[in-house]
Amino acid sequence: MLAMKRCTPFIFMCAFALPLLSQNAPQNADHKSQSPQPGASPRFAIQQSLPFTPQAGGTNPAGWFINPDGTVHVDNAVVHGGRWSVQFHRELASKNGFSVITRSIPIDFAGGEIELHGYLRTQDVTGYAGLWMREDGEGQMLKLENMSSQHVDGTRDWIEYTIRLPIDENARELHFGVLLSGAGTMWADDLRLLVDDKPIAEANPQQRVLTVLDTDHEFDKGSKLQLSSLTPTQIDNLITLGRVWGFLKYHHPAVAAGKRQWDYDLFRILPAILAAPDGAHANDVLVHWIDSLGEVTTCQAEQCAPVPKSDLNQKPDIDWIRDTTTLGSELSIRLQRIYQNRPRTNQFYVSLAPGIGNPHFDHELSYSAVALPDSGFQLLALFRWWNIMQYWAPYRLDAGQNWPAVLAEFIPKLVLANDRTAYQLAMFELVAKANDTHANLWSSLDARPPVGKCSLPVDLRFIDGQAVVTGLAGKDAASGLQMGDILDAIDGTQVAKLTEEWTPYYADSNVAARRRDMARTLTQGDCKPVDIQLHRNGKLIDLHADRLPRDNAFKPEWHDLPGDTFQLLSPDVAYLKLSSIKAADVPKYIEEAAKTKGLVVDIRNYPSEFMPFVLGAYFVSTKTSFATFTAADLANPGAFSFGDAVAIDPGSTHYSGKVVILVDETSLSQAEYTTMAFRCAPNAIVVGSTTAGADGNVSAIPLPGGLSTMVSGIGVFYPNHAPTQRIGIVPDIEAKPTLAGIKAGRDEVLETAIRQILGPQTPQATIEKIAGRPLPRF
């Protein structure tokens, strides 16, 4: 759930409102502890303001990375303070969905907060304009602000805006700039970058302590291991190595304290493991390896890690360390001793987010400069991800996997992947084993099938298991497709066969979310004509249609109503959608809805601001619990304990009508958490269909080769500990679109909600009229 307010889980959707631009995080960078001298750091070149000047021989702003080309240039006709501003201009057909300018500097300065100030002017902006900043750590994004929640759109004269980020102690690079999404024109001028209210050039230097990652560079250019085959014995020995390597990472005092570059230690031990003729010899190698790490002293009573709490949702899976049949007695004895004397709390490779508890995977490098294929780094990706799932994933058991079998299956898939694409596809399959909609391979979506830069100019949705056209892209409706068409085959291959083939690459919590994602990509492919076979009004029809560049094609939208955030559908029915809501406007909306019989809260979207407590306070008259979380335990990797219930406090004003909450497969993460909060109100019901089934603050996982994924980092449950992951929000009253309703342009889910407010005897014609015709607002 993204913005960290009160107990709010941190969800990925807003983080990806701005793609991860220029993510060149330092890999084993030499973060020296001495102070830099003036002139040695780019920040000394950034003084009181950041002027825009034309690039030599062109119109691009000098010193800025621009994407895409042709949408940004300097302008000396419309300026705020200097001679030049930077102008963004986008058409509906412009590439990428947004335009951006970027600068990047190392975070070699100290302070509490960094601020970016700048003036923006907009003209006919359909998306939003904004300043943006992002802090990156060792291979992962740490913090992001991009003004998406401020909804700077339309036409506005010059206004100064400010965004702020607390400086993360693990941050290594700052990326910042200006962006414009959608269409329209925007100018930016007079940018200023400050640290604690002072120009960044005056900030105190960062005193960074060197770690083993700064000093061990043996495998920076590659693991020195490239394999073309594996024997069954080697696979079995690698399974044991993967489990032992991960166990030591989080339990051995030397490794957990950060005294070893544990990734590189894996590469050092791999040749001996691969050369072992059988399991006994491989176990002997591991015994000597453990002994070389140093003595594990017996902990004193007050120093020993406490046993896991009794109110556990998930226990550590460490019974395997007692399996002497597989490990042999010597290796088992050493692992058990390490476990009995494990560190109490300190972990070098993982920490818990303050006040929230989701894991942050510190000091995990993404090795983006390593050339692929590289069998060692590809195996490292498997071992890293698999062990994070074992020790730091709150929904490990909910995934429904035989995890040792998953490890065995993917060792040859990852080790023997012979190019970058094969490696990425194998990682897609692996990450999908989490059955977690958050856990996609977000860095590599272009490699996930179907591959291609073009798609048909339609919006699709699976209705009763069939891919149905639910939207047409304006003029591009000339493709011949119509609302309600059912796609049967694409270029001669049945849609059912395509979705079956692609399912292993889609990391979704449930069928509803997977079909949602496949509907968005189903017609992707090469930018050329495609043969479509479809059903229309009971007839099988063949069409020849053009795929268009995806940036020009009809983009999927939420399923809420177009138009204003708040609408009076009738004197008795109010409507409020959360995709564009602002917290400051909530009191006004509640006042306007006060005399209605019911309020429809549409969460068939992703909330633009965090609403559980702001809006929920109007729905309850007493303090009301609605959720509880599970969080990891640094002293007991793999254990997740229940915390106290989260409750909504009533406000001074109470909405007395019925509250009907709308959800469907587009309701993900923060949307699901918000639904949990509102449905606890005594007059609330949930209408719609099963949601995406992924809730809980996300934790980013960098992977070798510059790849990245995420995992739900805390468990979200109802107060009675009933689960939500994979199950999603199960509505009180199920309502789904039908083929007939889509053809008629009706919103049948909204109609069901209106009937719940007005009563079962209300004529259908009245319901349909209210659902389609909001009253004017005065």
Side-chain angles (χ1 to χ4, degrees):
M1 309 173 204
L2 188 66
M4 298 186 194
K5 303 172 185 176
R6 294 180 75 167
C7 299
T8 66
F10 175 70
I11 298 306
F12 79 92
M13 293 291 290
C14 293
F16 282 84
L18 174 66
L20 305 186
L21 308 165
S22 307
Q23 191 164 5
N24 300 315
Q27 304 301 312
N28 285 17
D30 187 13
H31 305 305
K32 299 185 182 297
S33 57
Q34 55 262 45
S35 303
Q37 297 301 312
S41 169
R43 72 182 175 91
F44 289 105
I46 299 176
Q47 299 298 326
Q48 184 63 27
S49 65
L50 288 156
F52 295 106
T53 56
Q55 198 174 55
T59 61
N60 288 348
W64 295 85
F65 168 80
I66 296 170
N67 188 46
D69 288 334
T71 61
V72 181
H73 63 271
V74 292
D75 186 348
N76 61 1
V78 179
V79 298
H80 178 265
R83 181 181 174 188
W84 301 91
S85 68
V86 61
Q87 184 196 94
F88 294 67
H89 181 73
R90 295 185 53 80
E91 305 287 348
L92 289 174
S94 296
K95 295 180 180 180
N96 292 359
F98 70 96
S99 298
V100 66
I101 61 171
T102 305
R103 287 183 71 166
S104 303
I105 60 173
I107 298 181
D108 56 5
F109 48 86
E113 185 176 68
I114 188 162
E115 307 170 14
L116 178 62
H117 301 252
Y119 285 85
L120 303 180
R121 177 177 174 175
T122 60
Q123 180 177 311
D124 301 327
V125 169
T126 61
Y128 75 93
L131 309 173
W132 70 274
M133 286 193 296
R134 195 184 80 230
E135 295 178 32
D136 286 355
E138 290 156 328
Q140 59 184 309
M141 179 183 71
L142 300 177
K143 289 183 170 60
L144 169 72
E145 172 56 56
N146 61 15
M147 286 180 57
S148 60
S149 64
Q150 296 189 40
H151 307 291
V152 179
D153 54 14
T155 299
R156 309 186 189 197
D157 205 351
W158 289 108
I159 299 175
E160 184 177 23
Y161 296 93
T162 301
I163 57 174
R164 298 175 174 85
L165 285 178
I167 298 176
D168 193 296
E169 63 179 7
N170 296 307
R172 297 293 185 266
E173 273 199 344
L174 176 72
H175 306 282
F176 64 94
V178 187
L179 69 94
L180 174 66
S181 76
T185 306
M186 182 261 287
W187 293 264
D189 202 355
D190 293 335
L191 270 60
R192 295 179 296 135
L193 200 58
L194 309 179
V195 174
D196 295 339
D197 298 323
K198 296 180 180 178
I200 193 169
E202 299 175 14
N204 293 325
Q206 175 74 266
Q207 301 296 325
R208 206 180 295 281
V209 178
L210 292 177
T211 72
V212 66
L213 303 182
D214 301 294
T215 58
D216 188 343
H217 300 287
E218 182 178 353
F219 297 96
D220 284 2
K221 295 183 179 180
S223 69
K224 308 174 186 177
L225 183 70
Q226 191 60 49
L227 300 175
S228 58
S229 65
L230 286 171
T231 68
T233 296
Q234 288 175 318
I235 292 173
D236 288 342
N237 291 339
L238 288 175
I239 292 170
T240 301
L241 172 62
R243 303 189 80 171
V244 171
W245 178 85
F247 176 85
L248 297 175
K249 182 175 185 176
Y250 302 121
H251 294 88
H252 193 286
V255 184
K259 296 179 181 179
R260 310 290 304 192
Q261 214 298 18
W262 202 231
D263 295 347
Y264 289 2
D265 277 356
L266 173 64
F267 301 151
R268 294 182 181 107
I269 198 69
L270 267 172
I273 294 295
L274 291 168
D278 52 37
H281 284 82
N283 291 341
D284 287 342
V285 171
L286 294 175
V287 167
H288 291 299
W289 187 40
I290 291 172
D291 291 345
S292 72
L293 297 176
E295 182 182 0
V296 177
T297 59
T298 302
C299 67
Q300 302 302 315
E302 67 277 2
Q303 299 172 334
C304 295
V307 296
K309 297 176 182 178
S310 58
D311 192 15
L312 285 176
N313 165 249
Q314 192 166 271
K315 296 180 180 179
D317 180 17
I318 47 86
D319 287 344
W320 64 274
I321 69 174
R322 302 179 183 91
D323 177 12
T324 57
T325 301
T326 302
L327 302 177
S329 60
E330 289 299 316
L331 180 55
S332 177
I333 288 170
R334 279 162 176 77
L335 296 178
Q336 290 182 62
R337 176 172 175 78
I338 291 167
Y339 185 74
Q340 292 162 0
N341 298 282
R342 63 193 180 278
R344 185 175 178 86
T345 55
N346 292 335
Q347 294 277 358
F348 181 72
Y349 290 103
V350 64
S351 60
L352 301 182
I356 299 172
N358 62 297
H360 186 281
F361 300 111
D362 307 311
H363 305 117
E364 298 285 16
L365 305 183
S366 65
Y367 304 110
S368 58
V370 170
L372 299 175
D374 185 302
S375 294
F377 274 102
Q378 290 162 200
L379 183 67
L380 170 62
L382 169 60
F383 284 0
R384 180 186 292 178
W385 185 88
W386 190 88
N387 281 288
I388 284 174
M389 289 300 299
Q390 302 316 295
Y391 296 112
W392 308 110
Y395 300 126
R396 179 188 81 238
L397 300 178
D398 300 271
Q401 301 293 347
N402 178 332
W403 286 109
V406 169
L407 182 59
E409 176 187 355
F410 280 88
I411 284 174
K413 285 187 176 182
L414 266 300
V415 170
L416 305 180
N418 58 9
D419 58 32
R420 183 177 182 86
T421 298
Y423 167 52
Q424 291 180 107
L425 288 176
M427 286 305 303
F428 267 115
E429 284 193 80
L430 175 65
V431 169
K433 295 295 183 181
N435 283 318
D436 181 356
T437 307
H438 286 147
N440 228 315
L441 196 65
W442 299 107
S443 60
S444 308
L445 293 182
D446 286 345
R448 183 178 69 178
V451 175
K453 296 184 179 299
C454 290
S455 60
L456 294 179
V458 297
D459 191 10
L460 298 176
R461 191 174 180 187
F462 277 91
I463 307 295
D464 295 329
Q466 298 178 304
V468 177
V469 175
T470 57
L472 302 171
K475 295 178 181 179
D476 293 321
S479 63
L481 290 161
Q482 296 179 10
M483 294 283 286
D485 284 348
I486 302 171
L487 267 62
D488 185 67
I490 300 175
D491 273 339
T493 304
Q494 296 293 308
V495 167
K497 187 174 188 295
L498 292 173
T499 56
E500 181 182 1
E501 291 175 354
W502 298 335
T503 290
Y505 305 108
Y506 282 73
D508 289 290
S509 300
N510 54 34
V511 173
R514 187 171 295 109
R515 285 178 172 172
R516 176 204 66 190
D517 289 347
M518 285 189 173
R520 292 171 177 172
T521 61
L522 184 62
T523 67
Q524 282 180 196
D526 294 334
C527 299
K528 62 182 183 180
V530 59
D531 291 322
I532 299 293
Q533 191 173 66
L534 57 87
H535 288 276
R536 180 185 298 164
N537 300 325
K539 296 180 180 179
L540 194 61
I541 298 174
D542 293 316
L543 282 181
H544 196 62
D546 290 328
R547 285 195 183 105
L548 301 177
R550 286 206 305 269
D551 301 312
N552 301 349
F554 190 54
K555 293 180 173 60
E557 297 179 352
W558 312 125
H559 298 145
D560 51 22
L561 288 183
D564 293 341
T565 302
F566 178 87
Q567 301 176 35
L568 276 177
L569 302 185
S570 79
D572 291 326
V573 181
Y575 172 89
L576 180 63
K577 62 180 178 181
L578 299 195
S579 57
S580 56
I581 195 169
K582 295 182 180 179
D585 294 333
V586 168
K588 177 182 64 175
Y589 296 151
I590 295 298
E591 181 180 356
E592 291 189 57
K595 296 181 180 180
T596 60
K597 292 181 178 179
L599 171 63
V600 178
V601 180
D602 202 338
I603 322 183
R604 296 174 295 174
N605 50 49
Y606 191 86
S608 59
E609 294 191 13
F610 190 69
M611 286 290 113
F613 304 101
V614 176
L615 184 55
Y618 291 93
F619 299 154
V620 298
S621 54
T622 60
K623 187 172 184 176
T624 306
S625 299
F626 69 92
T628 186
F629 304 145
T630 63
D633 181 352
L634 292 179
N636 293 288
F640 281 79
S641 306
F642 282 106
D644 296 332
V646 183
I648 298 175
D649 292 317
S652 57
T653 303
H654 178 70
Y655 176 72
S656 58
K658 199 165 192 175
V659 177
V660 184
I661 306 148
L662 304 188
V663 297
D664 63 16
E665 70 275 13
T666 67
S667 307
L668 166 68
S669 204
Q670 188 184 125
E672 295 176 287
Y673 183 70
T674 305
T675 303
M676 293 172 66
F678 295 167
R679 88 180 309 174
C680 74
N683 294 331
I685 59 170
V686 178
V687 169
S689 53
T690 301
T691 60
D695 207 347
N697 289 39
V698 294
S699 298
I701 305 173
L703 296 168
L707 278 57
S708 63
T709 183
M710 293 181 176
V711 65
S712 299
I714 61 173
V716 180
F717 297 79
Y718 289 101
N720 65 355
H721 296 179
T724 62
Q725 186 74 1
R726 299 193 69 187
I727 298 170
I729 304 299
V730 179
D732 300 302
I733 299 172
E734 186 176 66
K736 297 180 180 180
T738 66
L739 187 60
I742 289 169
K743 290 180 178 180
R746 292 166 50 200
D747 186 338
E748 293 160 293
V749 178
L750 177 59
E751 290 175 13
T752 302
I754 295 170
R755 189 171 295 281
Q756 294 303 310
I757 294 171
L758 298 183
Q761 303 305 317
T762 308
Q764 179 63 25
T766 302
I767 297 291
E768 292 184 24
K769 182 177 181 180
I770 293 173
R773 297 184 181 179
L775 298 179
R777 295 178 65 195
F778 298 98

